Amino acid sequence: MTLNRPKVLNALNQRTWQDLRAAFEDARDDATVRGIILTGAGDKAFIAGADISEIAHITAVDAEQSSRYGQDVLTLSKISASR
């Protein structure tokens, strides 16, 4: 799987998190999948972190919910990888 947002150094926005979650869920549910290789497009960064331009326009409560969603996705990736 390639994160393809090189203009923003593959910063993670809500859509990217949703795509990652779907990929990890698909991998978890497919017994033939043994792993996922995650790469970032471009030659400057794998992942820059959170997409600050998206976070700058949300409330603190929404930012916390977004952060928890990201943590849930990362936890899901561990579950997918451990089976």
Tab-separated table of all heavy atoms in Angstrom, residues 1-67:
chain	number	residue	atom	x	y	z
A	1	MET	N	0.856	-1.166	0.000
A	1	MET	CA	0.000	0.000	0.000
A	1	MET	C	0.898	1.223	0.000
A	1	MET	O	1.848	1.299	0.766
A	1	MET	CB	-0.891	-0.021	1.243
A	1	MET	CG	-1.738	1.188	1.406
A	1	MET	SD	-2.804	1.064	2.843
A	1	MET	CE	-4.155	2.001	2.242
A	2	THR	N	0.587	2.181	-0.881
A	2	THR	CA	1.383	3.403	-0.974
A	2	THR	C	0.533	4.606	-0.598
A	2	THR	O	-0.535	4.826	-1.171
A	2	THR	CB	1.920	3.592	-2.409
A	2	THR	OG1	2.720	2.470	-2.761
A	2	THR	CG2	2.754	4.847	-2.517
A	3	LEU	N	1.006	5.368	0.371
A	3	LEU	CA	0.383	6.647	0.699
A	3	LEU	C	0.800	7.607	-0.401
A	3	LEU	O	1.986	7.846	-0.603
A	3	LEU	CB	0.854	7.152	2.058
A	3	LEU	CG	0.513	6.254	3.238
A	3	LEU	CD1	1.142	6.783	4.500
A	3	LEU	CD2	-0.977	6.135	3.386
A	4	ASN	N	-0.159	8.138	-1.134
A	4	ASN	CA	0.159	8.915	-2.323
A	4	ASN	C	-0.257	10.372	-2.169
A	4	ASN	O	-1.178	10.856	-2.828
A	4	ASN	CB	-0.511	8.283	-3.548
A	4	ASN	CG	0.018	8.870	-4.839
A	4	ASN	OD1	1.067	9.486	-4.876
A	4	ASN	ND2	-0.736	8.677	-5.901
A	5	ARG	N	0.438	11.063	-1.270
A	5	ARG	CA	0.215	12.502	-1.072
A	5	ARG	C	1.578	13.195	-0.988
A	5	ARG	O	1.894	13.883	-0.018
A	5	ARG	CB	-0.581	12.749	0.216
A	5	ARG	CG	-1.944	12.049	0.219
A	5	ARG	CD	-2.758	12.406	1.448
A	5	ARG	NE	-3.237	13.775	1.282
A	5	ARG	CZ	-3.277	14.677	2.272
A	5	ARG	NH1	-2.901	14.363	3.479
A	5	ARG	NH2	-3.726	15.893	2.036
A	6	PRO	N	2.419	13.012	-2.000
A	6	PRO	CA	3.794	13.528	-1.895
A	6	PRO	C	3.889	15.045	-1.778
A	6	PRO	O	4.843	15.545	-1.181
A	6	PRO	CB	4.467	13.028	-3.178
A	6	PRO	CG	3.348	12.774	-4.137
A	6	PRO	CD	2.182	12.346	-3.281
A	7	LYS	N	2.907	15.777	-2.294
A	7	LYS	CA	2.962	17.244	-2.211
A	7	LYS	C	2.888	17.733	-0.771
A	7	LYS	O	3.360	18.826	-0.461
A	7	LYS	CB	1.852	17.873	-3.040
A	7	LYS	CG	2.067	17.716	-4.525
A	7	LYS	CD	0.969	18.384	-5.313
A	7	LYS	CE	1.208	18.196	-6.797
A	7	LYS	NZ	0.160	18.800	-7.611
A	8	VAL	N	2.273	16.927	0.112
A	8	VAL	CA	2.190	17.281	1.533
A	8	VAL	C	2.973	16.273	2.379
A	8	VAL	O	2.680	16.050	3.552
A	8	VAL	CB	0.727	17.399	2.015
A	8	VAL	CG1	0.043	18.595	1.367
A	8	VAL	CG2	-0.050	16.121	1.754
A	9	LEU	N	3.985	15.675	1.749
A	9	LEU	CA	4.879	14.707	2.420
A	9	LEU	C	4.106	13.550	3.043
A	9	LEU	O	4.456	13.045	4.102
A	9	LEU	CB	5.759	15.412	3.456
A	9	LEU	CG	6.598	16.578	2.925
A	9	LEU	CD1	7.349	17.237	4.057
A	9	LEU	CD2	7.535	16.124	1.821
A	10	ASN	N	3.022	13.144	2.362
A	10	ASN	CA	2.192	12.020	2.791
A	10	ASN	C	1.583	12.224	4.176
A	10	ASN	O	1.394	11.273	4.936
A	10	ASN	CB	2.975	10.705	2.719
A	10	ASN	CG	3.462	10.428	1.322
A	10	ASN	OD1	2.711	10.524	0.365
A	10	ASN	ND2	4.741	10.116	1.192
A	11	ALA	N	1.264	13.474	4.479
A	11	ALA	CA	0.611	13.789	5.757
A	11	ALA	C	-0.720	13.047	5.838
A	11	ALA	O	-1.416	12.871	4.841
A	11	ALA	CB	0.395	15.288	5.890
A	12	LEU	N	-1.051	12.611	7.026
A	12	LEU	CA	-2.245	11.792	7.250
A	12	LEU	C	-3.462	12.666	7.512
A	12	LEU	O	-3.570	13.305	8.561
A	12	LEU	CB	-2.011	10.846	8.429
A	12	LEU	CG	-0.859	9.860	8.238
A	12	LEU	CD1	-0.534	9.169	9.550
A	12	LEU	CD2	-1.186	8.855	7.158
A	13	ASN	N	-4.383	12.677	6.556
A	13	ASN	CA	-5.650	13.367	6.754
A	13	ASN	C	-6.735	12.315	7.033
A	13	ASN	O	-6.457	11.115	7.053
A	13	ASN	CB	-6.011	14.252	5.550
A	13	ASN	CG	-6.212	13.457	4.275
A	13	ASN	OD1	-6.168	12.236	4.246
A	13	ASN	ND2	-6.430	14.170	3.187
A	14	GLN	N	-7.943	12.759	7.249
A	14	GLN	CA	-9.022	11.834	7.619
A	14	GLN	C	-9.248	10.781	6.539
A	14	GLN	O	-9.440	9.611	6.835
A	14	GLN	CB	-10.317	12.603	7.904
A	14	GLN	CG	-11.402	11.749	8.530
A	14	GLN	CD	-11.015	11.171	9.887
A	14	GLN	OE1	-10.261	11.762	10.643
A	14	GLN	NE2	-11.521	10.001	10.201
A	15	ARG	N	-9.230	11.193	5.289
A	15	ARG	CA	-9.439	10.243	4.181
A	15	ARG	C	-8.342	9.165	4.168
A	15	ARG	O	-8.617	7.988	3.952
A	15	ARG	CB	-9.484	11.005	2.850
A	15	ARG	CG	-9.555	10.141	1.638
A	15	ARG	CD	-10.823	9.314	1.652
A	15	ARG	NE	-10.760	8.312	0.612
A	15	ARG	CZ	-11.796	7.800	0.017
A	15	ARG	NH1	-12.999	8.167	0.368
A	15	ARG	NH2	-11.653	6.910	-0.915
A	16	THR	N	-7.106	9.576	4.414
A	16	THR	CA	-6.000	8.621	4.435
A	16	THR	C	-6.169	7.633	5.576
A	16	THR	O	-5.945	6.429	5.403
A	16	THR	CB	-4.653	9.365	4.559
A	16	THR	OG1	-4.561	10.330	3.513
A	16	THR	CG2	-3.485	8.402	4.450
A	17	TRP	N	-6.569	8.121	6.742
A	17	TRP	CA	-6.819	7.222	7.868
A	17	TRP	C	-7.922	6.217	7.535
A	17	TRP	O	-7.830	5.037	7.876
A	17	TRP	CB	-7.209	8.011	9.125
A	17	TRP	CG	-6.039	8.589	9.856
A	17	TRP	CD1	-5.769	9.916	10.029
A	17	TRP	CD2	-4.991	7.880	10.521
A	17	TRP	NE1	-4.610	10.059	10.761
A	17	TRP	CE2	-4.118	8.824	11.079
A	17	TRP	CE3	-4.708	6.525	10.696
A	17	TRP	CZ2	-2.981	8.469	11.800
A	17	TRP	CZ3	-3.576	6.162	11.422
A	17	TRP	CH2	-2.729	7.129	11.963
A	18	GLN	N	-8.971	6.678	6.861
A	18	GLN	CA	-10.066	5.782	6.479
A	18	GLN	C	-9.572	4.715	5.497
A	18	GLN	O	-9.934	3.532	5.612
A	18	GLN	CB	-11.221	6.580	5.862
A	18	GLN	CG	-11.928	7.452	6.869
A	18	GLN	CD	-12.866	8.473	6.227
A	18	GLN	OE1	-12.855	8.686	5.020
A	18	GLN	NE2	-13.676	9.111	7.062
A	19	ASP	N	-8.731	5.121	4.546
A	19	ASP	CA	-8.178	4.161	3.592
A	19	ASP	C	-7.278	3.140	4.289
A	19	ASP	O	-7.314	1.946	3.971
A	19	ASP	CB	-7.394	4.879	2.492
A	19	ASP	CG	-8.271	5.680	1.549
A	19	ASP	OD1	-9.512	5.474	1.543
A	19	ASP	OD2	-7.718	6.514	0.807
A	20	LEU	N	-6.460	3.610	5.226
A	20	LEU	CA	-5.609	2.693	5.985
A	20	LEU	C	-6.455	1.698	6.776
A	20	LEU	O	-6.162	0.496	6.796
A	20	LEU	CB	-4.695	3.465	6.942
A	20	LEU	CG	-3.499	4.159	6.318
A	20	LEU	CD1	-2.849	5.087	7.343
A	20	LEU	CD2	-2.504	3.147	5.802
A	21	ARG	N	-7.500	2.199	7.420
A	21	ARG	CA	-8.376	1.316	8.195
A	21	ARG	C	-8.990	0.239	7.302
A	21	ARG	O	-8.996	-0.939	7.655
A	21	ARG	CB	-9.471	2.109	8.894
A	21	ARG	CG	-10.391	1.222	9.706
A	21	ARG	CD	-11.496	1.989	10.423
A	21	ARG	NE	-11.941	1.170	11.512
A	21	ARG	CZ	-11.757	1.418	12.788
A	21	ARG	NH1	-11.148	2.520	13.159
A	21	ARG	NH2	-12.183	0.597	13.712
A	22	ALA	N	-9.482	0.640	6.137
A	22	ALA	CA	-10.089	-0.325	5.213
A	22	ALA	C	-9.063	-1.381	4.779
A	22	ALA	O	-9.375	-2.578	4.734
A	22	ALA	CB	-10.666	0.394	3.996
A	23	ALA	N	-7.849	-0.950	4.488
A	23	ALA	CA	-6.810	-1.897	4.077
A	23	ALA	C	-6.462	-2.867	5.206
A	23	ALA	O	-6.319	-4.076	4.975
A	23	ALA	CB	-5.560	-1.149	3.625
A	24	PHE	N	-6.337	-2.363	6.432
A	24	PHE	CA	-6.014	-3.231	7.567
A	24	PHE	C	-7.163	-4.191	7.871
A	24	PHE	O	-6.930	-5.344	8.219
A	24	PHE	CB	-5.662	-2.405	8.803
A	24	PHE	CG	-4.380	-1.616	8.671
A	24	PHE	CD1	-4.242	-0.399	9.306
A	24	PHE	CD2	-3.317	-2.082	7.916
A	24	PHE	CE1	-3.063	0.321	9.201
A	24	PHE	CE2	-2.137	-1.361	7.800
A	24	PHE	CZ	-2.013	-0.154	8.443
A	25	GLU	N	-8.395	-3.717	7.739
A	25	GLU	CA	-9.548	-4.601	7.957
A	25	GLU	C	-9.607	-5.685	6.882
A	25	GLU	O	-9.861	-6.847	7.183
A	25	GLU	CB	-10.851	-3.799	7.982
A	25	GLU	CG	-11.020	-2.994	9.244
A	25	GLU	CD	-12.218	-2.069	9.220
A	25	GLU	OE1	-12.749	-1.773	8.124
A	25	GLU	OE2	-12.626	-1.620	10.314
A	26	ASP	N	-9.360	-5.296	5.623
A	26	ASP	CA	-9.340	-6.289	4.543
A	26	ASP	C	-8.253	-7.333	4.791
A	26	ASP	O	-8.476	-8.533	4.598
A	26	ASP	CB	-9.113	-5.619	3.189
A	26	ASP	CG	-10.317	-4.825	2.708
A	26	ASP	OD1	-11.425	-4.986	3.284
A	26	ASP	OD2	-10.147	-4.038	1.751
A	27	ALA	N	-7.076	-6.879	5.207
A	27	ALA	CA	-5.975	-7.805	5.481
A	27	ALA	C	-6.327	-8.738	6.635
A	27	ALA	O	-6.065	-9.942	6.578
A	27	ALA	CB	-4.703	-7.027	5.796
A	28	ARG	N	-6.927	-8.179	7.665
A	28	ARG	CA	-7.324	-8.984	8.822
A	28	ARG	C	-8.317	-10.076	8.436
A	28	ARG	O	-8.232	-11.205	8.917
A	28	ARG	CB	-7.946	-8.078	9.881
A	28	ARG	CG	-8.436	-8.816	11.117
A	28	ARG	CD	-9.422	-7.992	11.917
A	28	ARG	NE	-10.597	-7.682	11.095
A	28	ARG	CZ	-11.410	-6.655	11.327
A	28	ARG	NH1	-11.178	-5.835	12.318
A	28	ARG	NH2	-12.457	-6.454	10.559
A	29	ASP	N	-9.226	-9.739	7.539
A	29	ASP	CA	-10.308	-10.656	7.178
A	29	ASP	C	-9.945	-11.626	6.056
A	29	ASP	O	-10.721	-12.522	5.756
A	29	ASP	CB	-11.547	-9.852	6.772
A	29	ASP	CG	-12.079	-8.996	7.927
A	29	ASP	OD1	-11.752	-9.291	9.098
A	29	ASP	OD2	-12.816	-8.028	7.651
A	30	ASP	N	-8.796	-11.458	5.435
A	30	ASP	CA	-8.374	-12.314	4.326
A	30	ASP	C	-7.248	-13.233	4.809
A	30	ASP	O	-6.113	-12.797	5.003
A	30	ASP	CB	-7.895	-11.454	3.157
A	30	ASP	CG	-7.550	-12.253	1.927
A	30	ASP	OD1	-7.314	-13.480	2.024
A	30	ASP	OD2	-7.499	-11.649	0.836
A	31	ALA	N	-7.569	-14.502	4.981
A	31	ALA	CA	-6.601	-15.461	5.521
A	31	ALA	C	-5.379	-15.638	4.623
A	31	ALA	O	-4.341	-16.109	5.087
A	31	ALA	CB	-7.284	-16.805	5.751
A	32	THR	N	-5.470	-15.266	3.353
A	32	THR	CA	-4.325	-15.425	2.455
A	32	THR	C	-3.319	-14.285	2.573
A	32	THR	O	-2.185	-14.407	2.097
A	32	THR	CB	-4.773	-15.545	0.978
A	32	THR	OG1	-5.391	-14.322	0.570
A	32	THR	CG2	-5.749	-16.704	0.796
A	33	VAL	N	-3.726	-13.181	3.198
A	33	VAL	CA	-2.823	-12.043	3.369
A	33	VAL	C	-1.944	-12.290	4.575
A	33	VAL	O	-2.428	-12.535	5.677
A	33	VAL	CB	-3.614	-10.718	3.530
A	33	VAL	CG1	-2.679	-9.569	3.854
A	33	VAL	CG2	-4.417	-10.423	2.279
A	34	ARG	N	-0.653	-12.221	4.363
A	34	ARG	CA	0.312	-12.461	5.444
A	34	ARG	C	0.938	-11.170	5.955
A	34	ARG	O	1.618	-11.168	6.956
A	34	ARG	CB	1.396	-13.412	4.964
A	34	ARG	CG	0.861	-14.732	4.414
A	34	ARG	CD	0.214	-15.598	5.431
A	34	ARG	NE	1.242	-16.096	6.333
A	34	ARG	CZ	1.003	-16.653	7.501
A	34	ARG	NH1	-0.229	-16.783	7.918
A	34	ARG	NH2	1.969	-17.067	8.250
A	35	GLY	N	0.713	-10.072	5.255
A	35	GLY	CA	1.260	-8.799	5.699
A	35	GLY	C	0.958	-7.701	4.704
A	35	GLY	O	0.520	-7.964	3.590
A	36	ILE	N	1.190	-6.475	5.131
A	36	ILE	CA	1.024	-5.305	4.279
A	36	ILE	C	2.329	-4.525	4.333
A	36	ILE	O	2.876	-4.290	5.406
A	36	ILE	CB	-0.127	-4.396	4.771
A	36	ILE	CG1	-1.464	-5.104	4.666
A	36	ILE	CG2	-0.158	-3.092	3.990
A	36	ILE	CD1	-2.611	-4.311	5.259
A	37	ILE	N	2.803	-4.141	3.163
A	37	ILE	CA	3.969	-3.263	3.101
A	37	ILE	C	3.440	-1.858	2.848
A	37	ILE	O	2.754	-1.613	1.857
A	37	ILE	CB	4.940	-3.695	1.996
A	37	ILE	CG1	5.478	-5.094	2.309
A	37	ILE	CG2	6.073	-2.674	1.852
A	37	ILE	CD1	6.296	-5.704	1.199
A	38	LEU	N	3.768	-0.957	3.744
A	38	LEU	CA	3.280	0.423	3.667
A	38	LEU	C	4.440	1.314	3.255
A	38	LEU	O	5.500	1.303	3.895
A	38	LEU	CB	2.725	0.847	5.028
A	38	LEU	CG	2.093	2.209	5.143
A	38	LEU	CD1	0.895	2.333	4.209
A	38	LEU	CD2	1.656	2.458	6.582
A	39	THR	N	4.258	2.055	2.162
A	39	THR	CA	5.282	2.969	1.673
A	39	THR	C	4.668	4.337	1.449
A	39	THR	O	3.453	4.483	1.422
A	39	THR	CB	5.901	2.471	0.345
A	39	THR	OG1	4.880	2.424	-0.653
A	39	THR	CG2	6.518	1.103	0.501
A	40	GLY	N	5.522	5.319	1.280
A	40	GLY	CA	5.068	6.666	0.987
A	40	GLY	C	5.571	7.103	-0.378
A	40	GLY	O	6.718	6.848	-0.737
A	41	ALA	N	4.721	7.746	-1.155
A	41	ALA	CA	5.109	8.237	-2.480
A	41	ALA	C	6.069	9.415	-2.334
A	41	ALA	O	6.067	10.121	-1.328
A	41	ALA	CB	3.867	8.657	-3.256
A	42	GLY	N	6.873	9.617	-3.359
A	42	GLY	CA	7.821	10.725	-3.362
A	42	GLY	C	9.135	10.321	-2.743
A	42	GLY	O	9.306	9.197	-2.276
A	43	ASP	N	10.054	11.258	-2.725
A	43	ASP	CA	11.391	10.940	-2.222
A	43	ASP	C	11.810	11.784	-1.023
A	43	ASP	O	12.955	11.762	-0.610
A	43	ASP	CB	12.426	11.085	-3.339
A	43	ASP	CG	12.461	12.480	-3.943
A	43	ASP	OD1	11.665	13.336	-3.527
A	43	ASP	OD2	13.297	12.707	-4.833
A	44	LYS	N	10.858	12.508	-0.428
A	44	LYS	CA	11.204	13.376	0.693
A	44	LYS	C	10.778	12.836	2.048
A	44	LYS	O	11.425	13.124	3.051
A	44	LYS	CB	10.604	14.765	0.498
A	44	LYS	CG	11.222	15.517	-0.643
A	44	LYS	CD	10.693	16.919	-0.692
A	44	LYS	CE	11.366	17.670	-1.824
A	44	LYS	NZ	10.915	19.047	-1.887
A	45	ALA	N	9.667	12.082	2.096
A	45	ALA	CA	9.166	11.637	3.393
A	45	ALA	C	8.329	10.384	3.248
A	45	ALA	O	7.624	10.217	2.250
A	45	ALA	CB	8.331	12.727	4.057
A	46	PHE	N	8.418	9.521	4.241
A	46	PHE	CA	7.528	8.369	4.314
A	46	PHE	C	6.146	8.866	4.733
A	46	PHE	O	5.177	8.779	3.988
A	46	PHE	CB	8.082	7.343	5.295
A	46	PHE	CG	7.108	6.279	5.715
A	46	PHE	CD1	6.448	5.507	4.769
A	46	PHE	CD2	6.853	6.058	7.052
A	46	PHE	CE1	5.539	4.517	5.151
A	46	PHE	CE2	5.962	5.070	7.447
A	46	PHE	CZ	5.306	4.310	6.493
A	47	ILE	N	6.055	9.436	5.926
A	47	ILE	CA	4.839	10.077	6.425
A	47	ILE	C	5.286	11.255	7.287
A	47	ILE	O	6.078	11.082	8.212
A	47	ILE	CB	3.985	9.124	7.288
A	47	ILE	CG1	3.476	7.940	6.473
A	47	ILE	CG2	2.804	9.870	7.901
A	47	ILE	CD1	2.745	6.892	7.307
A	48	ALA	N	4.759	12.421	6.994
A	48	ALA	CA	5.132	13.617	7.752
A	48	ALA	C	4.421	13.701	9.092
A	48	ALA	O	4.821	14.458	9.958
A	48	ALA	CB	4.836	14.867	6.932
A	49	GLY	N	3.367	12.920	9.278
A	49	GLY	CA	2.556	12.992	10.495
A	49	GLY	C	1.161	13.463	10.145
A	49	GLY	O	0.684	13.261	9.031
A	50	ALA	N	0.530	14.105	11.092
A	50	ALA	CA	-0.843	14.590	10.884
A	50	ALA	C	-0.857	15.730	9.872
A	50	ALA	O	0.086	16.501	9.773
A	50	ALA	CB	-1.430	15.071	12.202
A	51	ASP	N	-1.938	15.820	9.136
A	51	ASP	CA	-2.119	16.902	8.174
A	51	ASP	C	-2.566	18.147	8.938
A	51	ASP	O	-3.736	18.311	9.276
A	51	ASP	CB	-3.162	16.506	7.125
A	51	ASP	CG	-3.254	17.488	5.985
A	51	ASP	OD1	-2.885	18.669	6.176
A	51	ASP	OD2	-3.693	17.082	4.904
A	52	ILE	N	-1.621	19.014	9.223
A	52	ILE	CA	-1.868	20.197	10.041
A	52	ILE	C	-2.909	21.116	9.390
A	52	ILE	O	-3.706	21.743	10.086
A	52	ILE	CB	-0.559	20.971	10.297
A	52	ILE	CG1	0.451	20.073	11.015
A	52	ILE	CG2	-0.820	22.247	11.095
A	52	ILE	CD1	-0.014	19.516	12.340
A	53	SER	N	-2.934	21.178	8.066
A	53	SER	CA	-3.909	22.049	7.408
A	53	SER	C	-5.336	21.595	7.685
A	53	SER	O	-6.257	22.409	7.713
A	53	SER	CB	-3.667	22.097	5.899
A	53	SER	OG	-3.910	20.845	5.299
A	54	GLU	N	-5.526	20.306	7.914
A	54	GLU	CA	-6.854	19.797	8.255
A	54	GLU	C	-7.155	20.018	9.741
A	54	GLU	O	-8.246	20.459	10.098
A	54	GLU	CB	-6.920	18.302	7.927
A	54	GLU	CG	-8.277	17.681	8.114
A	54	GLU	CD	-8.308	16.222	7.688
A	54	GLU	OE1	-7.891	15.357	8.486
A	54	GLU	OE2	-8.742	15.964	6.555
A	55	ILE	N	-6.196	19.783	10.574
A	55	ILE	CA	-6.385	19.906	12.028
A	55	ILE	C	-6.591	21.364	12.450
A	55	ILE	O	-7.313	21.637	13.407
A	55	ILE	CB	-5.189	19.286	12.780
A	55	ILE	CG1	-5.166	17.782	12.553
A	55	ILE	CG2	-5.242	19.595	14.263
A	55	ILE	CD1	-3.952	17.095	13.122
A	56	ALA	N	-5.998	22.281	11.725
A	56	ALA	CA	-6.075	23.698	12.088
A	56	ALA	C	-7.497	24.248	12.076
A	56	ALA	O	-7.764	25.278	12.686
A	56	ALA	CB	-5.198	24.520	11.146
A	57	HIS	N	-8.403	23.547	11.422
A	57	HIS	CA	-9.759	24.068	11.259
A	57	HIS	C	-10.815	23.280	12.033
A	57	HIS	O	-12.002	23.416	11.757
A	57	HIS	CB	-10.122	24.089	9.772
A	57	HIS	CG	-9.160	24.885	8.951
A	57	HIS	ND1	-9.085	26.261	9.016
A	57	HIS	CD2	-8.198	24.495	8.091
A	57	HIS	CE1	-8.132	26.682	8.211
A	57	HIS	NE2	-7.580	25.637	7.640
A	58	ILE	N	-10.395	22.481	13.007
A	58	ILE	CA	-11.360	21.706	13.781
A	58	ILE	C	-11.249	22.073	15.255
A	58	ILE	O	-10.264	22.657	15.687
A	58	ILE	CB	-11.180	20.178	13.572
A	58	ILE	CG1	-9.802	19.702	14.037
A	58	ILE	CG2	-11.411	19.804	12.113
A	58	ILE	CD1	-9.605	18.194	13.943
A	59	THR	N	-12.275	21.702	16.006
A	59	THR	CA	-12.281	21.996	17.443
A	59	THR	C	-11.360	21.040	18.185
A	59	THR	O	-10.943	20.004	17.649
A	59	THR	CB	-13.696	21.846	18.017
A	59	THR	OG1	-14.069	20.459	17.960
A	59	THR	CG2	-14.707	22.698	17.263
A	60	ALA	N	-11.088	21.369	19.428
A	60	ALA	CA	-10.256	20.503	20.263
A	60	ALA	C	-10.904	19.131	20.450
A	60	ALA	O	-10.222	18.105	20.440
A	60	ALA	CB	-10.002	21.170	21.615
A	61	VAL	N	-12.214	19.111	20.595
A	61	VAL	CA	-12.937	17.845	20.752
A	61	VAL	C	-12.796	17.004	19.482
A	61	VAL	O	-12.515	15.806	19.536
A	61	VAL	CB	-14.421	18.092	21.098
A	61	VAL	CG1	-15.220	16.805	21.042
A	61	VAL	CG2	-14.547	18.762	22.465
A	62	ASP	N	-12.966	17.636	18.328
A	62	ASP	CA	-12.815	16.921	17.058
A	62	ASP	C	-11.376	16.433	16.876
A	62	ASP	O	-11.151	15.343	16.353
A	62	ASP	CB	-13.219	17.804	15.876
A	62	ASP	CG	-14.715	18.067	15.834
A	62	ASP	OD1	-15.487	17.268	16.412
A	62	ASP	OD2	-15.115	19.068	15.219
A	63	ALA	N	-10.415	17.230	17.296
A	63	ALA	CA	-9.009	16.827	17.196
A	63	ALA	C	-8.743	15.601	18.064
A	63	ALA	O	-8.029	14.682	17.644
A	63	ALA	CB	-8.099	17.983	17.601
A	64	GLU	N	-9.316	15.580	19.253
A	64	GLU	CA	-9.143	14.413	20.120
A	64	GLU	C	-9.786	13.178	19.491
A	64	GLU	O	-9.204	12.100	19.496
A	64	GLU	CB	-9.746	14.667	21.499
A	64	GLU	CG	-9.572	13.470	22.417
A	64	GLU	CD	-10.193	13.658	23.785
A	64	GLU	OE1	-10.803	14.708	24.049
A	64	GLU	OE2	-10.060	12.727	24.603
A	65	GLN	N	-10.971	13.333	18.937
A	65	GLN	CA	-11.643	12.202	18.284
A	65	GLN	C	-10.840	11.707	17.090
A	65	GLN	O	-10.700	10.501	16.876
A	65	GLN	CB	-13.056	12.588	17.850
A	65	GLN	CG	-14.004	12.764	19.000
A	65	GLN	CD	-15.369	13.304	18.574
A	65	GLN	OE1	-15.528	13.844	17.483
A	65	GLN	NE2	-16.345	13.147	19.453
A	66	SER	N	-10.271	12.621	16.329
A	66	SER	CA	-9.442	12.259	15.187
A	66	SER	C	-8.198	11.494	15.637
A	66	SER	O	-7.808	10.498	15.027
A	66	SER	CB	-9.043	13.519	14.411
A	66	SER	OG	-8.224	13.190	13.330
A	67	SER	N	-7.606	11.956	16.719
A	67	SER	CA	-6.429	11.283	17.266
A	67	SER	C	-6.766	9.873	17.741
A	67	SER	O	-6.030	8.921	17.486
A	67	SER	CB	-5.854	12.106	18.419
A	67	SER	OG	-4.743	11.454	18.972
